[in-house]
Amino acid sequence: MSITTHKISTPNCLARSQAAPCTFVRADLGRRSTVAPSACILLDARGQTHKKIGTITRRTQRLASRAYAVSVLNLAPAPVVLCGDIGGTNARLAVWTAGPARSEIYAKTYPTANYKTFEDALNEFLGEGPVKANPPQAACLAIAGAVENNKCPMTNLSWLIDGDALGNHHGIKVALLNDFEAVGYGIPALDESDLVVLNDAPRVDKAPKVVMGPGTGLGAAQLMWDEGKHAYKVWPGEGAHATFAPRGWKQKALAKYVSHKYHHCEIEQVACGSGLELIYEFLLTDEPANRPELLHGAKPKSAADISAAALAGTDPLAVEAVDMFLAIVGAEAGAMALRCLAKGGVYIAGGITPKLMQRVKAGSLLEGFLMRKGRERFHEILKTIPLYVITNTKVGQIGAVEYAANLLH
């Protein structure tokens, strides 16, 4: 199949709802194709199909002739890859096209409690109609656990996932990644629209990058440029289990409270969903006489309730807890930035931070990151490092697709 690609600066006659420039693609398809000859589509700036036009009319041919040709390619049908996000509660499986324009074909979530093994859930997914019609040629599974030698014993399940055994059984390459390792591989594929800029500093090409983020736990990874592969290599880690380094008297009191309760206070304990609940619980221990208007009838809350109350402004303790939580996340982001001089950017992912953007914009996370007080030398360095919040919730899937696509070569 030969495809001719044209850039159109004003495609309103074809797609009036598309404000940005589109790419006009004319496909001259072989006899065996089920698509009509001379079909055309519009691709948006990300390469996603914007609108299928159908048979090319004289009007669209005239438009194409006024555009300028960018490239002429001979393309085989786009390969298909399988990606998975495997957690303790759910296994989310999907098949994607892995051509120049990545797109999800079909996805389904399987409660892990309903399946004795991962293979049982996988076989059910592979039997789904859309998957049978688009069989994957490679697979990458992002797993919330420690991956070693392409194997992962699930922490909260009796599942043992063996990538090599799965690959041999299904006749394709299968790679297992730590969940935040997959997030790391997704970062270079993100658009600027997937990011909220908190520290607007120049991003240095090929410089180290850092990704971290609170969710059920606190994930973290570093991205280092591989000159041989002309791409970033992601190195996951367990730095979130390092000892918490509090700043200021109130964080020191929090660390003491957590240490008394659990005999130790690591960063993850105060920088994840349960950590937000722990911070709120700590604030409730204040002497009621000091803050009677805040503590009257107050009780522990779930992370979701604390977040909702903070965003609504209905609970001052919830606002304080969220701001302290974000300051701790920001401080750890700054520490990770300094460890590798992440001039390529620090990216905060995870399920919690994007939902708290109202409080993020209030400034406590950025202040924690910048270290203005007491560490002026490092503040000068951190001012030069970009800081972002990732708002695309599929960044881990995108990373798994990118990794699986590379297995095809």
Side-chain angles (χ1 to χ4, degrees):
M1 172 173 77
S2 65
I3 293 184
T4 305
T5 306
H6 304 272
K7 187 73 75 176
I8 299 172
S9 58
T10 51
N12 292 340
C13 63
L14 290 177
R16 296 186 184 278
S17 63
Q18 182 76 2
C22 293
T23 300
F24 173 82
V25 180
R26 173 176 173 169
D28 297 314
L29 302 153
R31 289 183 180 179
R32 294 187 180 184
S33 172
T34 59
V35 182
S38 295
C40 66
I41 59 176
L42 282 177
L43 303 181
D44 63 20
R46 298 181 64 177
Q48 301 295 321
T49 300
H50 175 70
K51 186 175 182 181
K52 185 172 180 179
I53 306 303
T55 302
I56 295 178
T57 65
R58 290 184 179 179
R59 183 186 184 196
T60 54
Q61 287 176 332
R62 286 197 302 271
L63 179 60
S65 68
R66 292 199 300 270
Y68 58 91
V70 177
S71 60
V72 179
L73 305 172
N74 290 318
L75 297 179
V80 175
V81 298
L82 184 150
C83 69
D85 177 8
I86 317 301
T89 304
N90 292 303
R92 301 173 183 88
L93 301 175
V95 281
W96 286 57
T97 59
R102 310 277 201 250
S103 62
E104 186 179 88
I105 300 170
Y106 179 77
K108 191 169 180 178
T109 298
Y110 297 88
T112 56
N114 296 349
Y115 301 89
K116 187 176 180 180
T117 67
F118 170 71
E119 288 83 350
D120 293 338
L122 177 62
N123 289 335
E124 186 172 320
F125 179 72
L126 293 173
E128 297 282 347
V131 184
K132 291 172 72 174
N134 298 275
Q137 295 158 262
C140 178
L141 306 175
I143 306 175
V147 177
E148 188 172 353
N149 297 323
N150 214 26
K151 295 182 177 69
C152 181
M154 297 289 289
T155 305
N156 298 316
L157 291 171
S158 58
W159 289 5
L160 171 63
I161 303 179
D162 186 328
D164 293 341
L166 289 171
N168 291 334
H169 180 73
H170 294 285
I172 61 174
K173 290 183 179 180
V174 178
L176 307 187
L177 301 179
N178 168 269
D179 55 350
F180 250 77
E181 190 176 359
V183 170
Y185 281 112
I187 285 174
L190 293 177
D191 279 350
E192 294 300 322
S193 61
D194 296 321
L195 306 172
V196 174
V197 180
L198 299 186
N199 193 42
D200 193 7
R203 191 162 56 211
V204 178
D205 189 40
K206 300 181 182 180
K209 300 177 186 285
V210 162
V211 59
M212 53 91 71
T216 304
L218 180 65
Q222 295 179 338
L223 288 74
M224 300 295 176
W225 183 256
D226 186 327
E227 196 62 53
K229 294 183 177 180
H230 301 286
Y232 276 98
K233 165 72 176 172
V234 181
W235 298 94
E238 295 294 338
H241 298 292
T243 301
F244 171 49
R247 295 183 190 170
W249 69 267
K250 191 166 284 189
Q251 286 191 17
K252 289 176 182 177
L254 170 65
K256 188 174 181 179
Y257 175 81
V258 176
S259 296
H260 179 75
K261 189 169 184 174
Y262 297 109
H263 309 292
H264 181 67
C265 182
E266 59 185 44
I267 300 163
E268 184 177 78
Q269 285 177 297
V270 290
C272 65
S274 60
L276 178 57
E277 296 170 355
L278 198 54
I279 292 170
Y280 188 84
E281 181 185 305
F282 158 70
L283 294 175
L284 288 175
T285 64
D286 198 359
E287 172 57 45
N290 293 339
R291 300 198 287 183
E293 74 285 359
L294 301 185
L295 299 175
H296 179 69
K299 296 179 181 179
K301 294 180 178 178
S302 68
D305 288 342
I306 296 167
S307 299
L311 294 175
T314 56
D315 181 352
L317 278 185
V319 174
E320 185 176 353
V322 165
D323 286 352
M324 184 182 291
F325 169 85
L326 292 173
I328 292 168
V329 170
E332 177 59 14
M336 290 190 69
L338 290 173
R339 289 183 189 113
C340 64
L341 292 179
K343 296 295 185 76
V346 175
Y347 299 79
I348 299 178
I352 296 177
T353 313
K355 297 175 183 176
L356 294 172
M357 285 307 303
Q358 178 185 317
R359 295 311 309 167
V360 170
K361 292 177 180 178
S364 61
L365 193 154
L366 181 59
E367 286 303 312
F369 175 80
L370 289 174
M371 296 186 187
R372 292 182 198 271
K373 283 188 176 181
R375 308 190 77 184
E376 286 77 8
R377 281 173 46 207
F378 300 108
H379 168 66
E380 293 303 314
I381 296 173
L382 289 165
K383 282 197 306 184
T384 68
I385 295 178
L387 177 64
Y388 309 97
V389 173
I390 299 173
T391 57
N392 190 327
T393 58
K394 290 189 175 182
V395 60
Q397 281 190 49
I398 292 169
V401 170
E402 294 295 318
Y403 198 93
N406 287 329
L407 296 177
L408 298 169
H409 305 307

